[in-house]
Amino acid sequence: MAEEKSQASSSKMLTLKASDGVLFEVELNIAKEMKTVQAYIDDCEDIETIPIPNVLGKHLAIVIEYIKKTNEEYDAEFEKQWNMDDLQLLLLAANYLNISGLQECLCKAIAKRIENKSPEYVRKVFNIENDHSPEEEAKLRKEYKWAFEGVDKD
Amino acid sequence: MLREFIPDELITEVLSFLPVKSLMRLKCLNKSWKTLISDPAFIKLHLKRSARNKHLALFSRIQQTSYNFRVAPFRLHCLLENTSGTITVPYFPINKDRVSLNVVGSCNGLFCLVGYYHTPTYINYKKILFYLWNPATRTLSNKIKFYCENCFKWRVAFGYDNSTETYKIVVFNPESYEVSVFNFGGNNIWKNIQSFPVVLLPLDRVLASHGYRDVYAHVNDSLNWLVIREESQFVIISLDLSSETYRQLLPPQGFDKVSLVLPTLAMLMDSLCFCHDFNGTNFIIWQMKEFGVQESWIQFLKISYQDLPIVYNVCSRLPLFPLCLSENGDTLVLAWDRGKQAILYNTAEKTGYTDNCKWYGSKEYVESLVSTC
């Protein structure tokens, strides 16, 4: 009897609804990896459909797949498939859904992609304005001239 | 271009995974990034990440007669995968004071350097210089002068006290047992502390005659030296960096035979280790699982000299020095022959191979942004 019960709870399905209305049926143990979802379930036990207002269907699909497949090998290859915009959106999703392993994996991936890039390139990636005065910037560039050696051309 | 903005705490997390060179460059990005990258809290976070990527820093003289040296950090996993061809650009500390430089120790990405006025043109026995050097950020602290009678006799050590977050240089005179401590970022003066507990012959004097000076183990917040007391008993003098007081520890009970080769101390896996020759056939490493608890010594590793890729003869009286252990515990890096050779020993397969680099010393190193001011 106890066995049946545990089997039933592990195969219990939940529906997650992405921001663009796309629905995903996931097993409870997969959904629980998203601590935000876990908190939702803890608050409202009988819920069947959980709204995920900040994440598009396409990214939620990737996140769910990550949770199912994550291991050292998978993680190493995972980030290679996505462009920089998707990586950032996935990071926002992982942060909102509170999935620490995925969040770290994505931070490392983004860091790897900007590691050898110029400040101009990185500004564009994160959509950040330069508020250094021309004199300040020139002074910094001179001081850290050695750090600019070998940087990828934009 | 992305329409969503990444919040600051996520940007901080991304940046914490970048190498130091990239971060120095990105100070130019904007004012808040410049502030963030210099912020002590960020520097701590970055160090935590960086500490997962251990390096081995190897030192060599630039020329035979030169009093300058260079440091090449090897990523530990490169050494392990035998991809030693990928040597990173070596770092050179700038030697404005024209002293003969040596490395005292390494901690959190900083090297403590000692400079002796012992050059072909000038010898000064009464003054030593110390510096803190961060090769990754390419910064050198102001020089710290230490005045004494016959400075070449004094022993030097470097450590970090977590409780006050201070880097400390410790010097002691093995004849008078006077001890002096310099706190960086404190009031920046030398302070005499309690003398070294009276002992017979500090082992390092014997080791020094074989080319090893200043052997000590920096374990957590303590500096530890191996000495011999009366009746040839080995004892470990441990200086607590926070209270600046000493305690005496004993080597493991299983050790009682003094061999031709002197035992040494090492720091592995954040623990104090006692290493010695056994019967001229094996090298044994003991680990003090719980610092200060005599009963917590366990035999960690027993390496047969036959499994090492060198011809090891105890008659040479040259000790093996464990330098560091890989994260997964599979590989132990040992220095031998005054550090001229690094031996990589696989603990699981019990085999070793050697990297024939002509270096004279090596220390564990992590890349960091820690300031030298």
Side-chain angles (χ1 to χ4, degrees):
Chain A
M1 193 61 168
E3 257 181 43
E4 274 174 31
K5 225 181 177 183
S6 64
Q7 267 191 347
S9 67
S10 68
S11 62
K12 181 187 173 187
M13 303 300 271
L14 268 180
T15 306
L16 302 176
K17 183 174 175 187
S19 61
D20 46 4
V22 182
L23 297 170
F24 295 89
E25 247 200 297
V26 289
E27 288 175 6
L28 185 62
N29 57 340
I30 302 286
K32 279 176 170 211
E33 291 296 313
M34 308 180 204
K35 298 214 179 67
T36 307
V37 172
Q38 172 72 71
Y40 208 104
I41 302 170
D42 288 343
D43 279 346
C44 346
E45 270 182 25
D46 290 331
I47 199 86
E48 294 227 339
T49 303
I50 298 172
I52 313 282
N54 296 9
V55 186
L56 285 170
K58 108 174 191 183
H59 294 121
L60 193 52
I62 297 168
V63 167
I64 291 167
E65 172 111 353
Y66 176 89
I67 297 172
K68 286 183 184 165
K69 293 192 177 166
T70 180
N71 63 31
E72 227 177 276
E73 242 180 85
Y74 182 81
D75 285 13
E77 295 300 311
F78 172 72
E79 55 91 4
K80 293 182 187 169
Q81 321 164 53
W82 320 116
N83 66 31
M84 183 55 97
D85 280 357
D86 279 328
L87 280 181
Q88 291 187 67
L89 289 167
L90 285 167
L91 176 60
L92 288 170
N95 180 242
Y96 171 73
L97 292 166
N98 201 345
I99 311 164
S100 56
L102 179 57
Q103 183 169 321
E104 187 171 306
C105 176
L106 290 163
C107 283
K108 280 187 185 163
I110 295 171
K112 198 88 198 134
R113 299 232 185 147
I114 60 172
E115 189 176 309
N116 218 34
K117 301 292 186 205
S118 69
E120 296 75 24
Y121 183 98
V122 178
R123 280 184 203 123
K124 291 205 187 87
V125 164
F126 295 113
N127 208 354
I128 299 178
E129 291 270 311
N130 178 9
D131 59 355
H132 281 310
S133 72
E135 296 79 32
E136 276 170 346
E137 179 157 359
K139 189 169 162 220
L140 284 167
R141 276 178 180 266
K142 190 171 171 208
E143 190 182 340
Y144 298 111
K145 192 166 151 206
W146 55 270
F148 284 83
E149 288 164 16
V151 168
D152 291 346
K153 297 231 181 308
D154 288 347
Chain B
M1 203 192 298
L2 204 64
R3 279 166 306 161
E4 279 84 352
F5 281 94
I6 308 288
D8 284 349
E9 70 263 18
L10 288 180
I11 299 243
T12 302
E13 202 179 327
V14 169
L15 294 184
S16 74
F17 290 105
L18 283 173
V20 172
K21 185 178 171 189
S22 311
L23 289 166
M24 295 290 104
R25 189 165 62 237
L26 291 174
K27 280 189 179 186
C28 302
L29 191 133
N30 79 355
K31 289 187 179 171
S32 74
W33 280 42
K34 176 168 180 260
T35 307
L36 171 69
I37 292 166
S38 321
D39 179 60
F42 176 74
I43 291 174
K44 250 196 194 164
L45 173 64
H46 179 268
L47 175 62
K48 206 169 96 173
R49 306 269 190 242
S50 194
R52 295 191 218 162
N53 282 325
K54 281 188 212 175
H55 289 60
L56 200 60
L58 305 177
F59 318 111
S60 73
R61 294 275 171 220
I62 296 173
Q63 289 151 348
Q64 271 296 89
T65 52
S66 169
Y67 45 77
N68 282 322
F69 71 90
R70 62 181 171 176
V71 177
F74 276 90
R75 297 199 62 176
L76 196 57
H77 78 88
C78 288
L79 271 183
L80 303 186
E81 287 149 27
N82 210 4
T83 53
S84 56
T86 50
I87 199 173
T88 55
V89 175
Y91 300 118
F92 307 77
I94 300 163
N95 193 353
K96 270 193 250 175
D97 300 297
R98 300 177 75 77
V99 284
S100 191
L101 285 173
N102 234 321
V103 179
V104 179
S106 160
C107 195
N108 294 345
L110 294 180
F111 285 107
C112 178
L113 305 179
V114 62
Y116 295 97
Y117 286 98
H118 190 256
T119 65
T121 50
Y122 176 57
I123 301 182
N124 182 337
Y125 294 97
K126 303 203 177 179
K127 184 161 100 171
I128 320 176
L129 298 183
F130 289 95
Y131 311 84
L132 277 192
W133 179 47
N134 186 326
T137 59
R138 303 204 183 183
T139 53
L140 191 70
S141 70
N142 288 327
K143 61 179 174 247
I144 294 125
K145 301 178 204 170
F146 181 70
Y147 296 98
C148 51
E149 292 300 315
N150 198 348
C151 61
F152 297 103
K153 290 212 181 222
W154 287 69
R155 296 294 176 248
V156 297
F158 177 61
Y160 179 68
D161 169 31
N162 271 294
S163 68
T164 54
E165 298 193 332
T166 324
Y167 293 93
K168 300 187 177 203
I169 308 176
V170 176
V171 294
F172 77 89
N173 185 321
E175 284 170 359
S176 66
Y177 306 117
E178 274 174 79
V179 185
S180 211
V181 176
F182 185 92
N183 291 329
F184 271 94
N187 37 23
N188 283 350
I189 51 160
W190 288 97
K191 188 179 77 171
N192 275 341
I193 63 168
Q194 199 182 346
S195 290
F196 219 62
V198 176
V199 290
L200 271 182
L201 181 75
L203 268 180
D204 61 77
R205 195 190 291 176
V206 177
L207 286 169
S209 59
H210 292 287
Y212 297 97
R213 268 186 68 111
D214 305 316
V215 177
Y216 65 94
H218 176 24
V219 180
N220 300 329
D221 291 329
S222 68
L223 296 176
N224 302 272
W225 292 268
L226 190 62
V227 297
I228 305 180
R229 224 164 46 185
E230 53 290 308
E231 280 138 31
S232 305
Q233 192 193 25
F234 284 99
V235 154
I236 299 163
I237 305 288
S238 181
L239 171 63
D240 180 281
L241 289 172
S242 124
S243 63
E244 292 174 350
T245 57
Y246 306 91
R247 59 197 285 199
Q248 298 194 24
L249 306 170
L250 291 172
Q253 279 212 309
F255 170 78
D256 53 1
K257 264 203 197 157
V258 185
S259 115
L260 283 173
V261 183
L262 291 171
T264 59
L265 293 180
M267 195 281 282
L268 295 173
M269 301 165 293
D270 292 328
S271 307
L272 179 66
C273 293
F274 179 81
C275 322
H276 66 95
D277 165 66
F278 178 74
N279 271 349
T281 56
N282 289 282
F283 181 68
I284 301 188
I285 303 176
W286 296 78
Q287 183 193 5
M288 192 177 230
K289 275 274 190 202
E290 216 187 302
F291 188 76
V293 176
Q294 186 62 26
E295 299 76 26
S296 72
W297 280 114
I298 57 149
Q299 192 171 307
F300 167 63
L301 209 52
K302 186 172 182 172
I303 302 174
S304 163
Y305 296 132
Q306 289 186 320
D307 294 337
L308 293 179
I310 51 166
V311 178
Y312 188 75
N313 189 335
V314 292
C315 297
S316 70
R317 297 183 184 239
L318 291 172
L320 287 163
F321 283 102
L323 287 175
C324 58
L325 190 68
S326 61
E327 281 282 317
N328 56 14
D330 273 353
T331 309
L332 177 69
V333 184
L334 297 151
W336 181 59
D337 192 10
R338 304 177 189 89
K340 285 209 208 88
Q341 277 189 276
I343 301 168
L344 286 86
Y345 176 78
N346 186 314
T347 56
E349 290 164 29
K350 298 194 198 294
T351 55
Y353 65 93
T354 173
D355 214 333
N356 261 312
C357 20
K358 292 292 171 207
W359 307 93
Y360 73 81
S362 35
K363 300 236 181 260
E364 200 180 277
Y365 166 72
V366 295
E367 207 198 47
S368 83
L369 292 161
V370 176
S371 169
T372 53
C373 300

